[in-house]
Amino acid sequence: KAARAEFDAVLDAMAGATLPTVIDVGANTGASLLSALGEIAEELKSVGVRIGVMAVATAEPGALAELPKILSLSAQWAEKQFIVENRLHGAIDSRILEKFGQGAILSSIERQELDEEAARILQAGGLASIARLDAAALTKTYGVARAVRIKRDLIRARLAVMQAVRLAAEWLIE
């Protein structure tokens, strides 16, 4: 019983959302959520909810194995599908993307080389925290050279992510 109700709060929130909404889940949760979503997709559409699915894929075999599953689970009811190729572990063979991504809108993000502390800050605060970085506090903690490097690394990484998801974001607010 608990497994069947696991995503009720998320699905109810989607049905009641008054603004474009993004639900970010990892690959392990993705398949379960998409299965639950598929069960009520028609009801959500009937109340005006538009559903798009973005799959972020890397060349790492375990992560890449989830891509066809995610796309297949959502193919019948997703209005749009997007694939972001995260080149963290190198580029994905274009034949694989073409095979699994038929009809999906493709984009990519290059591997980001981040200062170790920049990576920690990104993990702790996410992309939204980058705009709120306190340059003076960074300088006090790390010195001017490293603080500038950390901030630039984070700004560059945020821009790269924003560019990779731009088409999905534009679809979301159209």
Side-chain angles (χ1 to χ4, degrees), residues 42-122:
E42 289 306 315
E43 288 81 359
L44 290 172
K45 285 182 181 182
S46 74
V47 296
V49 175
R50 297 174 64 210
I51 303 169
V53 172
M54 175 184 290
V56 178
T58 70
E60 190 276 317
L64 189 54
E66 291 298 310
L67 180 62
K69 184 187 310 181
I70 288 170
L71 296 173
S72 175
L73 283 168
S74 61
Q76 296 302 312
W77 46 262
E79 189 175 328
K80 291 272 187 191
Q81 290 181 317
F82 302 89
I83 299 172
V84 175
E85 175 193 13
N86 181 343
R87 295 181 176 163
L88 175 67
H89 301 290
I92 298 173
D93 185 323
S94 62
R95 294 171 295 184
I96 292 172
L97 289 174
E98 289 171 14
K99 177 181 177 183
F100 295 131
Q102 291 180 353
I105 297 169
L106 301 172
S107 63
S108 64
I109 180 171
E110 295 299 325
R111 177 186 172 102
Q112 299 296 304
E113 297 293 335
L114 300 176
D115 177 277
E116 191 176 295
E117 189 60 20
R120 190 196 65 71
I121 291 168
L122 181 58

Side-chain angles (χ1 to χ4, degrees), residues 6-7 25-35 60 62-63 66 69-70 73:
E6 179 179 10
F7 298 111
V25 296
N28 293 336
T29 302
S32 298
L33 175 61
L34 292 176
S35 293
E60 190 276 317
E66 291 298 310
K69 184 187 310 181
I70 288 170
L73 283 168

